[in-house]
Amino acid sequence: MGKREDIKKTYKLYIGGKFPRTESGRYIKWTDPKNSTYVNVCRGSRKDFRNSVVAARNAFTDWSSRTAYNRSQILYRIGEMLEGKRSQFMDELMLQGASKNAAENEINRAIDRLIYYAGWADKYQQLFSRVNPVAAPYFNFTYTEPTGVVAAIAPDDSSLVGLVSIMAPIIAGGNTVVLLASELKPLCSISFAEVLHTSDVPAGVVNILTGYRDELIEHFSTHMDVNSIVYCGNDPDDIKTIQENAALNVKRPVVYADEDWMDQKNQGPYHILNNLESKTTWHPIGL
Amino acid sequence: MITSVYIHPIDQIGAQERVARLFSRSIKKESKVHALKMALSMIDLTTLEGKDSSGKVKQLCYKASHLHDQYPDLPSVAAICVYPTMVPIAKKALEGTSINIASVATAFPSGMSSMENKLDEVKKVVDDGANEVDMVISRGKFLSGEYDYVADEISQIKDACEKAHLKVILETGELVTLDNVRLASDIALNAGADFIKTSTGKISPAATPPVVLVMLEAIRDHYKKTGKKIGMKPAGGISKAKQAIQYLVMVRETLGKDWLTPDLFRFGASSLANDVLMQIVKQSTGHYQSGNYFSID
């Protein structure tokens, strides 16, 4: 018997709860920093993005109308599943250039962050809702609603904790999301989709694409059915493009410039608030 | 009266393969815009629900004549399609437009009623102002082999329609095989249908591509034999512009250019119009559109 060949994984996209290849048939050859391994990663296209938005829109009604408690449970479940796949993520993070220690810390932080937002998922409403004093016979109150379909360009420098830190507050708030994974370190973003897939996250709530930022940013920011765009990075041209295009349908543009996602300071309910809308109701009362 | 029936056997795999090849054709840019506008002009904008109200029908009629006011060079849809009781309301709402009024009749969608009732219903909708009648065939009779009954039924209703156009719904989802679809098409074509139509939209599967292909081929063969051009109307489950363009390709390749007109080809659909409009706006602005900016229907 000859030497056994390893069976390599095909890194595909995650759209609507399925793992399709890119419709464009294009691939990016990704090589690890030591030049020892390479994989073909899908080069997602405009149409992959369009399909993801359709999936996210279809998933929105169900996801946003679930109880906050249920969303919280599901976020917790993602954390549980990630814990169980620790060794796979260790390998991938190290292949992407992390030291063993750094990889371990990153996984711990990613899991903790999921649990953190699982906790917030049924509590931020109390924090951001309020009763407003008005000088008229009304009971005037404000409460939060999810913004809708969010398109998010995840941080380029950290593929797991970065992606999780962007995704978790968005879905905790009842939004659905299309994420563009790190261009430099795409591997564990795709593997993270497998975690989502086994965590009771309904199909279409999270969709993950890989590909080139430069190519996709235009489409992420112009799509009229996207209600909010989150951008992680500090390229002034990118930010300008996003802010200008967001005006087309008054998307909410959210920019995280240089956040260190390993830092616990960069988590909090205000990240959830970034993709929430406030609804104020004037309810007549007798005097 | 049909005394003998010629069964035209259909190669099911062949039909599927042919459809798959036609559907792989890519229509881009100007041709796409042209096709989208053509598809719009062929739509029978439909509302056939138990919860239909006069308000809903009026709204639909308004939409039929004002598809998207920011694009004034758009065609209007071919017709609106409603239940019999809604015909007078539609008639009033569409005054002064060239949009036709189609009404389903003959105990739609089941067709389970006496011949007498069916004829009365058809006469009533024509009197009320419908210029197109969509009838259903008696599928139970057809499946039990009473082909003469089905043929007689169609020709009697055709007589009752007088000047109104008659569309014959085969309800292909209940006919089980493509051989039956072809046979029912042939019966309807010979009995005087002006259009043959796939489905009521009330059962699944509705219009499927192989079924539409078989019906188009029946129309083609009928034309070759008799010189008469009969129309085709796929209905049910056609909600995307892409599907509509695929069907137009199928018509062009099976029947030729002559059939690419609302006089001979229609889509029975409720949400297709919005998707086509969204694609037209996408072609002109370059941005993918959202349902939020189009009418709710």
Side-chain angles (χ1 to χ4, degrees), chain A residues 46-47 50 57 218-219 222-225 227 248-249, chain B residues 28 240 242 279 282 286-293:
Chain A
R46 170 173 71 89
K47 289 189 181 173
R50 175 197 63 187
R57 175 59 64 197
E218 175 80 17
H219 308 298
T222 55
H223 198 306
M224 300 289 278
D225 208 21
N227 306 109
L248 275 173
N249 63 334
Chain B
K28 298 285 183 205
K240 299 288 168 208
K242 191 175 179 179
Q279 296 308 317
K282 153 79 173 69
H287 308 137
Y288 286 116
Q289 294 299 306
S290 161
N292 288 344
Y293 305 102

Side-chain angles (χ1 to χ4, degrees), chain A residues 188-255:
Chain A
C188 40
S189 304
I190 311 296
S191 299
F192 184 67
E194 294 157 18
V195 170
L196 294 168
H197 199 61
T198 48
S199 307
D200 303 325
V201 180
V205 170
V206 183
N207 306 276
I208 301 179
L209 304 179
T210 49
Y212 293 133
R213 276 186 174 208
D214 283 354
E215 180 189 341
L216 291 171
I217 216 159
E218 175 80 17
H219 308 298
F220 268 59
S221 53
T222 55
H223 198 306
M224 300 289 278
D225 208 21
V226 170
N227 306 109
S228 168
I229 176 152
V230 175
Y231 171 81
C232 301
N234 50 17
D235 182 328
D237 291 339
D238 282 354
I239 295 174
K240 183 165 177 279
T241 304
I242 282 176
Q243 290 182 333
E244 280 177 0
N245 288 342
L248 275 173
N249 63 334
V250 207
K251 283 182 198 70
R252 189 172 274 279
V254 179
V255 175

Side-chain angles (χ1 to χ4, degrees), chain B residues 195-258:
Chain B
F195 264 77
I196 51 176
K197 174 174 167 185
T198 57
S199 329
T200 60
K202 296 295 172 198
I203 74 150
S204 186
T208 66
V211 157
V212 175
L213 181 68
V214 167
M215 291 171 70
L216 290 172
E217 284 174 350
I219 292 172
R220 181 192 61 199
D221 294 349
H222 185 76
Y223 172 66
K224 281 184 181 159
K225 213 162 29 174
T226 66
K228 279 189 207 146
K229 288 179 181 166
I230 307 296
M232 173 68 197
K233 177 176 172 186
I238 305 167
S239 56
K240 299 288 168 208
K242 191 175 179 179
Q243 290 172 290
I245 291 177
Q246 288 173 330
Y247 279 121
L248 291 179
V249 169
M250 200 197 277
V251 173
R252 171 69 180 79
E253 292 300 319
T254 313
L255 293 169
K257 271 185 194 161
D258 288 2

Side-chain angles (χ1 to χ4, degrees), chain A residues 114-143:
Chain A
L114 286 161
I115 305 304
Y116 175 84
Y117 283 112
W120 270 113
D122 61 354
K123 296 173 191 70
Y124 71 83
Q125 296 85 345
Q126 292 91 313
L127 196 63
F128 300 130
S129 300
R130 59 237 172 230
V131 173
N132 310 306
V134 288
Y138 292 97
F139 178 57
N140 182 287
F141 58 100
T142 300
Y143 63 101

